Amino acid sequence: MKIAAKYIVVLGLLVGLVSCQENSRPNYQYMPNMYEPVGYETYQESDAFANGKQGQLPAEGTIPRGDFMPFEIENTTEGFQFAKENLESPLDSSAVDYERGGQLFAIYCGICHGNKGDGQGKLVQREKILGVPSYDDVGRAITTGSIYHTLYYGKNTMGSYANQLNEEERWQVVAYVEKLKADLEK
């Protein structure tokens, strides 16, 4: 009986301590510098840099984080023609992966262009999009450069895929489109 009384007293003290806790104010912080960052204003004065300002320009020639690489050919008719005539794939024959290019093509392109490149994708069959030509149409005369330029910037009703595909993936899709074109021309 004495042991039970001791447990009841200890339990009562614990409940009393917990119930007296005030939740309206935060608990103690043992290392406040880790929880409360020091905020700097972008253009405030600073002794850390030669020009005396916090905000600095990025180093010359830097590229933003991620897979983005700038494309030097502009999004104009002249840029398209230049790409069509001069742009070549940086991938050699050992780096081309038709299986991966086919998967990417099926995900991003097949819905409109069809998985065979014949212009009979699901959206065309359901008449949601009209006028998607086949890759073997003589009037199109697509080349490596024109395919890449179109993937990068888009053309007519086709939007850009520069944000969905990184540079290497775009070149894989270009190689796969050329393969589809060659298969259709047989």
Side-chain angles (χ1 to χ4, degrees):
M1 194 68 169
K2 290 181 181 181
I3 295 175
K6 288 180 184 178
Y7 282 124
I8 291 173
V9 169
V10 170
L11 184 63
L13 287 172
L14 285 174
V15 169
L17 286 173
V18 172
S19 64
C20 292
Q21 181 181 5
E22 187 177 336
N23 289 329
S24 63
R25 63 177 191 176
N27 291 333
Y28 291 107
Q29 293 179 352
Y30 295 106
M31 294 184 172
N33 291 345
M34 304 226 5
Y35 296 105
E36 308 287 336
V38 179
Y40 293 103
E41 291 293 324
T42 305
Y43 297 107
Q44 79 181 20
E45 293 181 7
S46 170
D47 297 331
F49 300 102
N51 66 355
K53 301 263 185 208
Q54 287 287 340
Q56 300 293 308
L57 293 174
E60 191 171 320
T62 57
I63 297 173
R65 286 180 77 177
D67 293 328
F68 174 77
M69 288 294 291
F71 188 45
E72 291 81 22
I73 301 173
E74 65 258 357
N75 186 17
T76 61
T77 306
E78 294 81 20
F80 178 77
Q81 284 301 326
F82 178 80
K84 185 174 184 175
E85 296 166 4
N86 301 313
L87 189 61
E88 294 294 326
S89 175
L91 302 177
D92 59 2
S93 60
S94 64
V96 173
D97 184 2
Y98 290 116
E99 184 177 330
R100 183 162 177 245
Q103 291 170 348
L104 293 169
F105 182 87
I107 292 169
Y108 296 107
C109 312
I111 191 76
C112 296
H113 292 278
N115 289 335
K116 296 178 183 176
D118 56 359
Q120 295 300 311
K122 290 288 183 195
L123 292 179
V124 173
Q125 291 172 357
R126 294 178 183 166
E127 297 180 356
K128 302 292 182 189
I129 296 176
L130 300 175
V132 177
S134 176
Y135 289 141
D136 66 341
D137 285 348
V138 179
R140 291 189 73 192
I142 60 176
T143 65
T144 303
S146 67
I147 298 166
Y148 188 84
H149 191 276
T150 303
L151 274 172
Y152 194 88
Y153 290 118
K155 188 166 181 155
N156 299 331
T157 58
M158 179 181 152
S160 169
Y161 285 91
N163 289 333
Q164 288 87 353
L165 300 167
N166 65 34
E167 183 178 15
E168 191 267 335
E169 290 172 336
R170 286 191 294 268
W171 285 115
Q172 294 291 349
V173 171
V174 167
Y176 189 75
V177 167
E178 289 178 325
K179 179 182 178 298
L180 289 177
K181 180 183 179 198
D183 291 345
L184 287 170
E185 290 175 344
K186 288 181 182 176

